[in-house]
Amino acid sequence: MHRKRERDRDKWSIELLNYLLNRINDIKAKLSRGPVYFSGEVIECLVTFSNPPNPIHQISQSHSDIFESLAWASAQVHCQCSANSKIIFSEKLNTTVRLAAINANTTFAPWQQDNGHVVLNTKPKILFCDLRLSPGESKTYIYREIIPSDAPPSYRGHAVKYSYKITIGTQRVNTAIKLLRIPFRVLSLKLPEVTACNDSVDLSPNNPFMETQHRETPLDVALQTLQNLTARRSPNFYNITNGRGRVVRFCLFKNSYKLGEDIVGTFDFSNATVSCAQVSVALQSEEHISEEYRRGKATTPTLVSYNKHHEMCMGLKYSHLVLPIPLHVTPDFTTDLMMLKWRLHFEFVTTSKLLEIPNETSINWQGPLTLDVETMIWDLPVHIHPTTTPPNTAQQTKYNIVI
């Protein structure tokens, strides 16, 4: 009996030593409102620090007070810009960080380990100092930060990439700093001043039964302006012609759209003097690099095509266009480094002679075996703005790291 107790005591001692050497602290982070935010909005992140419980059958009651000590933890929002060195003079980029956003009294500078150069840094916020967690205990801290209103949007292009992260750093005593990175997306709300239209109806929701009206924030004003801008319909008609005459009359109901909307237009071939066999329309982005940063003399912007509408229109008098705008693309924006624009790219396949189209009196009709055709290209600029409701707001994004 005495030897059995000694063996059990030795077993507990060995397992306790292994637990002390191999115990793991866990950090979990969750964006409370999903991964998409507006510039000027408050981002909120819940950060939980946990100490795992002792094995129930392995550690005696006398060793239950085993604390996990963390020296400190800080959090910071930063935006990195990565550039394609084959297209852009990276050495000419402004690599200076906003001095007001750096705390010179701390060594916490996670942006230094990322590729590219930092274009935005918020001041690091200390979550805690000298945190002690007993086995099975966890503590949650709330990190809040305002995304600057002049922040560039998240963007992944051919030559330039803007990416946002919340970086949470923590450190045990006499150990290296561990970092947890939480990516998120930013939509910029930089709107032209002319959008503050006085002749349009305010389309933002309000409650007439409330006794006290909510005081509008700059973000509320920007969203209201965006709603008014993209809701206005002012049909524009375009007579598209080539060297032989009129091809089609195209109508676009508005020029400003939000992410997720459909671009709707109509084609009128009834008064055409040139036969059109088919038409295709693609939504394209134009990535323009500023001349001072551009490598080489090429001035052609980088084009990327998204959704495409294609239709055989031979014999049609009228047709329509419905082109959805993806939610994942980046709206119009401009920085010192680049400019992003959007356009509709049209391709009309026309024939040199008018085709005989069957009518109500036709009995038999056979299409031509061959056609002499040529392709005519036409581009129409459009404006794409952020959606008033960021996508995936109900999604809870969670990240974790083990230290």
Side-chain angles (χ1 to χ4, degrees):
M1 191 64 158
H2 181 67
R3 290 182 179 178
K4 182 180 179 182
R5 290 179 179 177
E6 289 183 350
R7 286 197 301 269
D8 291 342
R9 188 180 304 155
D10 293 340
K11 181 180 178 182
W12 286 336
S13 300
I14 294 173
E15 291 176 347
L16 175 61
L17 179 61
N18 290 332
Y19 171 75
L20 292 174
L21 293 175
N22 300 301
R23 69 187 191 276
I24 296 173
N25 195 26
D26 186 34
I27 304 176
K28 296 181 180 179
K30 179 179 69 174
L31 296 175
S32 58
R33 289 187 51 255
V36 185
Y37 296 85
F38 292 118
S39 58
E41 193 175 11
V42 176
I43 186 171
E44 183 177 278
C45 182
L46 304 179
V47 188
T48 302
F49 298 83
S50 304
N51 186 15
N54 297 340
I56 298 175
H57 65 283
Q58 293 182 356
I59 300 177
S60 64
Q61 185 68 25
S62 61
H63 297 289
S64 60
D65 282 339
I66 302 174
F67 289 94
E68 174 67 41
S69 296
L70 296 177
W72 58 268
S74 294
Q76 181 185 33
V77 171
H78 55 102
C79 174
Q80 296 287 130
C81 175
S82 302
N84 188 340
S85 58
K86 295 181 180 180
I87 302 176
I88 296 175
F89 281 110
S90 300
E91 55 273 15
K92 288 185 178 181
L93 292 176
N94 182 12
T95 57
T96 59
V97 183
R98 299 181 182 182
L99 298 179
I102 299 178
N103 188 349
N105 297 323
T106 180
T107 59
F108 182 62
W111 46 270
Q112 292 180 345
Q113 301 180 15
D114 291 343
N115 295 327
H117 70 284
V118 65
V119 295
L120 177 113
N121 252 345
T122 61
K123 188 174 181 179
K125 290 185 177 180
I126 298 176
L127 300 180
F128 64 80
C129 289
D130 191 17
L131 175 65
R132 301 184 69 192
L133 297 174
S134 59
E137 184 182 7
S138 64
K139 286 191 177 181
T140 300
Y141 297 86
I142 301 178
Y143 170 68
R144 292 187 182 92
E145 188 60 79
I146 299 177
I147 303 172
S149 57
D150 59 346
S154 299
Y155 175 66
R156 185 185 293 270
H158 179 65
V160 180
K161 174 185 174 183
Y162 290 101
S163 58
Y164 281 84
K165 297 174 186 176
I166 294 178
T167 302
I168 301 168
T170 188
Q171 185 180 26
R172 283 175 173 168
V173 179
N174 298 325
T175 60
I177 298 176
K178 295 291 185 177
L179 300 178
L180 174 60
R181 302 181 186 275
I182 307 168
F184 63 96
R185 182 186 178 192
V186 171
L187 297 175
S188 177
L189 280 177
K190 294 180 181 178
L191 301 175
E193 295 181 359
V194 295
T195 60
C197 48
N198 297 323
D199 58 341
S200 61
V201 179
D202 182 8
L203 301 175
S204 61
N206 56 62
N207 189 345
F209 300 102
M210 293 180 61
E211 295 182 0
T212 58
Q213 296 294 329
H214 172 67
R215 184 176 181 181
E216 291 185 335
T217 64
L219 179 61
D220 295 332
V221 174
L223 292 176
Q224 176 182 321
T225 304
L226 173 62
Q227 180 73 1
N228 292 338
L229 172 68
T230 56
R232 288 192 303 169
R233 289 178 175 267
S234 54
N236 295 311
F237 295 90
Y238 305 90
N239 290 317
I240 303 171
T241 62
N242 62 11
R244 294 190 301 273
R246 176 183 294 181
V247 177
V248 66
R249 189 185 191 216
F250 177 69
C251 174
L252 190 66
F253 295 103
K254 61 179 184 176
N255 288 91
S256 296
Y257 299 87
K258 295 181 292 187
L259 295 178
E261 278 192 309
D262 292 337
I263 298 176
V264 180
T266 60
F267 296 98
D268 182 0
F269 300 96
S270 59
N271 295 321
T273 58
V274 178
S275 296
C276 184
Q278 68 179 28
V279 59
S280 63
V281 187
L283 179 64
Q284 291 185 340
S285 65
E286 304 178 33
E287 184 183 78
H288 298 262
I289 304 300
S290 300
E291 185 176 356
E292 60 177 312
Y293 298 114
R294 191 167 52 233
R295 189 182 295 275
K297 298 181 179 180
T299 58
T300 304
T302 302
L303 302 176
V304 179
S305 296
Y306 293 90
N307 291 339
K308 188 173 185 179
H309 173 89
H310 181 84
E311 185 174 13
M312 301 296 298
C313 54
M314 183 183 300
L316 296 180
K317 289 186 176 181
Y318 303 97
S319 184
H320 67 280
L321 163 72
V322 178
L323 203 60
I325 301 174
L327 283 170
H328 68 274
V329 300
T330 303
D332 301 358
F333 77 96
T334 302
T335 64
D336 294 337
L337 178 59
M338 62 159 292
M339 176 188 299
L340 184 70
K341 296 181 178 181
W342 289 89
R343 72 182 187 182
L344 294 177
H345 179 72
F346 294 79
E347 293 185 4
F348 298 95
V349 178
T350 61
T351 181
S352 56
K353 60 180 181 179
L354 286 173
L355 300 176
E356 295 182 2
I357 304 302
N359 51 37
E360 295 81 359
T361 61
S362 301
I363 299 177
N364 294 318
W365 180 83
Q366 183 176 359
L369 297 178
T370 60
L371 283 175
D372 294 330
V373 298
E374 62 181 16
T375 301
M376 183 183 70
I377 295 175
W378 180 60
D379 296 318
L380 177 63
V382 293
H383 298 288
I384 296 180
H385 301 282
T387 175
T388 51
T389 303
N392 300 325
T393 53
Q395 175 183 350
Q396 291 188 345
T397 309
K398 299 180 180 180
Y399 298 87
N400 69 289
I401 187 175
V402 173
I403 63 173

